[in-house]
Amino acid sequence: MTDSNKTATLTVHGETYELPVHSPTAGPDVIDIRKLYGQAGVFTYDPGFTSTASCDSTITFIDGDKGELLHRGYPIDQLAGKSHFLEVCYLLLYGELPTAAVLEKFETTITRHTMLHEQMQYFYRGFRRDAHPMAIMVGVVGAMSAFYHDSTDIADPHQREVASHRLIAKMPTIAAWAYKYHIGQPFVYPRNDLDYASNFLRMCFAVPAEDYEVNPILSRAMDRIFTLHADHEQNASTSTVRLASSSGANPFACIAAGIACLWGPAHGGANQACLEMLEEIGSVDRIPEYIDRAKDKADPFRLMGFGHRVYKNFDPRAKVMKQSADEVLDLLGIEDNPKLQVAKALEKQALEDPYFAEKKLFPNVDFYSGIILEAMGFPTSMFTPIFALSRTVGWVSQWKEMIADPQNKIGRPRQLYLGETTRDYVDIEKR
């Protein structure tokens, strides 16, 4: 944040107050209201905090009008096209792209932290077999503080570093084991000779009865999904992680809180909702009917996976994800999958329809990631856990930044109270 000599004038009940205005390196100016209550005795009212900056950060910047997403200044399409997930992890955590030697050391560190404590197997078995994988992930990640006592002291920089590496390294194993437990198959252990995405795919789809070879096209597509979901500024789950950590809670509890928030269908469940929509449409010949319904303002139906709350132009992640979707569908085919047939036809018809172009309702990252995950064989119940796996590095980076911030204080939002004023208690026999 860059201080300036700018000020904003606010008049309250006839009294005028000068409020500092801060100019960021990118984005709109920010009015500093921290002393407003002390000076004027009033709060601001902003449900959803959509007009409120809760922190300053140097990690991610989004310009929704331009369709721009930057990680430490690097455009997401460049990172997804030229880099890979662990390099982006390093960038988010430390602020700069690593040299080849530094990246090799970082990758080795992450790879050698992928195994879980053996006793955590028994923790999984405490869940019902039909438990949702997200329910398992919330519980298992929260329980990590019971297994890794040497990385819960947030005041110790070394312990913060170890916790960061452990969370990024172990999340694929946690997610894959949640999937294996859900479908009743034995757990598959990680291997140090595989890259991050390949390891995850193997742990999800390998079985003891036969060897499993990871297809490089699928591995690359999986890596891109991880990269494109790595961080997204101060969204609901990231804000949850920051709010939880402001109390001094251990890192595993904070990330578990983020997973719980991501579970909501308005946040992490968007690609699952997209696949459910494709299933509802059912067949290619019904697409015109649903496109007409989407145009009808009186009809509650909406095309899921089109448009984005933040991006008013286009989702910069979607172009790269579409490339991966095309590669995966070329590899695996769509002939035997009605949902994928509907997805390809819907994408084509919507992009050719002037209505959607005028409204800027283009396919977004959730539309294409859902197609990819469906084609790979993941059930929709695993879509959000994979999102959580991807977003862990963003949560961890934001958590580390907040802990090191000297302005850090426990979060305490205010309220506009509309309840009863003081009234006297009435004895029960007189009511």
Side-chain angles (χ1 to χ4, degrees):
M1 180 172 64
T2 303
D3 285 320
S4 70
N5 295 322
K6 299 178 184 177
T7 60
T9 302
L10 177 66
T11 301
V12 182
H13 305 313
E15 294 289 332
T16 299
Y17 302 92
E18 295 292 324
L19 302 174
V21 175
H22 302 295
S23 296
T25 54
D29 284 352
V30 177
I31 300 173
D32 189 340
I33 61 168
R34 282 178 290 182
K35 296 181 180 179
L36 180 61
Y37 177 60
Q39 293 175 344
V42 296
F43 301 141
T44 56
Y45 183 58
D46 183 21
F49 310 112
T50 55
S51 296
T52 299
S54 61
C55 63
D56 58 68
S57 180
T58 62
I59 299 172
T60 297
F61 173 73
I62 296 171
D63 188 323
D65 293 329
K66 293 181 179 178
E68 184 177 67
L69 170 61
L70 306 177
H71 290 325
R72 305 288 192 180
Y74 294 98
I76 187 61
D77 56 334
Q78 292 185 22
L79 293 173
K82 299 179 180 180
S83 183
H84 63 278
F85 182 63
L86 284 186
E87 184 174 38
V88 173
C89 286
Y90 187 94
L91 173 67
L92 291 171
L93 284 170
Y94 302 111
E96 298 293 342
L97 290 171
T99 63
V102 170
L103 179 59
E104 182 180 3
K105 181 179 179 181
F106 179 71
E107 289 175 332
T108 300
T109 299
I110 297 300
T111 300
R112 296 189 178 278
H113 274 82
T114 51
M115 285 186 64
L116 296 180
H117 193 290
E118 190 69 8
Q119 283 185 290
M120 294 189 82
Q121 284 200 38
Y122 303 109
F123 193 81
Y124 277 84
R125 294 189 172 102
F127 292 97
R128 285 174 47 134
R129 280 288 179 184
D130 59 356
H132 194 288
M134 281 295 276
I136 296 174
M137 286 187 72
V138 169
V140 172
V141 173
M144 287 177 72
S145 60
F147 290 87
Y148 301 104
H149 305 290
D150 60 340
S151 55
T152 57
D153 182 0
I154 64 172
D156 184 340
H158 175 70
Q159 290 201 27
R160 293 202 301 269
E161 190 82 348
V162 172
S164 300
H165 292 165
R166 278 178 171 157
L167 281 160
I168 294 167
K170 298 180 189 303
M171 202 63 75
T173 311
I174 291 170
W177 283 18
Y179 173 60
K180 285 296 195 184
Y181 185 79
H182 183 67
I183 62 176
Q185 291 186 0
F187 296 142
V188 175
Y189 288 85
R191 277 183 17 191
N192 289 348
D193 61 327
L194 295 177
D195 63 74
Y196 194 87
S198 298
N199 232 335
F200 175 67
L201 289 172
R202 181 180 176 276
M203 287 190 288
C204 285
F205 295 122
V207 292
E210 58 187 46
D211 290 333
Y212 178 81
E213 294 293 330
V214 182
N215 187 291
I217 293 177
L218 300 186
S219 178
R220 178 59 176 157
M222 193 81 255
D223 189 89
R224 279 179 170 167
I225 288 177
F226 293 160
T227 299
L228 293 169
H229 289 88
D231 192 54
H232 211 236
E233 212 206 70
Q234 306 307 317
N235 55 80
S237 57
T238 299
S239 298
T240 298
V241 171
R242 280 183 172 263
L243 190 60
S245 66
S246 73
S247 71
N250 73 73
F252 306 113
C254 296
I255 301 305
I259 295 172
C261 180
L262 188 73
W263 195 356
H267 190 7
N271 49 13
Q272 180 173 338
C274 175
L275 264 291
E276 291 168 351
M277 175 199 68
L278 297 175
E279 190 168 3
E280 179 186 343
I281 295 174
S283 61
V284 173
D285 60 292
R286 297 188 67 193
I287 290 175
E289 169 195 344
Y290 278 87
I291 285 182
D292 289 340
R293 289 183 60 188
K295 296 177 183 179
D296 184 356
K297 293 182 179 179
D299 193 316
F301 176 78
R302 294 290 180 269
L303 281 183
M304 304 302 295
F306 287 76
H308 196 279
R309 180 185 176 188
V310 173
Y311 300 110
K312 306 306 179 187
N313 191 338
F314 64 93
D315 185 339
R317 303 167 295 174
K319 182 179 179 181
V320 180
M321 194 67 87
K322 172 177 168 53
Q323 180 184 341
S324 286
D326 290 339
E327 291 172 356
V328 169
L329 294 185
D330 285 344
L331 175 69
L332 300 177
I334 62 174
E335 294 78 9
D336 299 325
N337 191 318
K339 274 186 283 190
L340 296 180
Q341 292 172 4
V342 171
K344 292 297 289 182
L346 178 61
E347 174 199 25
K348 183 176 185 296
Q349 292 185 38
L351 288 174
E352 292 174 351
D353 193 311
Y355 174 87
F356 295 101
E358 291 168 7
K359 299 286 185 180
K360 298 182 179 178
L361 295 175
F362 305 111
N364 61 32
V365 69
D366 298 310
F367 181 82
Y368 292 118
S369 65
I371 291 174
I372 293 170
L373 296 175
E374 168 79 12
M376 285 182 178
F378 285 104
T380 53
S381 61
M382 273 300 291
F383 288 7
T384 316
I386 290 170
F387 194 164
L389 188 174
S390 312
R391 185 55 55 84
T392 295
V393 64
W395 291 332
V396 168
S397 301
Q398 300 272 351
W399 169 76
K400 283 185 65 182
E401 182 180 64
M402 181 176 181
I403 295 298
D405 186 352
Q407 299 183 94
N408 177 28
K409 59 176 64 177
I410 187 168
R412 179 60 171 88
R414 300 293 190 167
Q415 65 178 11
L416 171 63
Y417 179 70
L418 298 174
E420 298 289 345
T421 55
T422 304
R423 50 184 176 171
D424 292 328
Y425 179 82
V426 179
D427 293 335
I428 193 167
E429 62 273 9
K430 295 180 181 179
R431 294 176 211 161

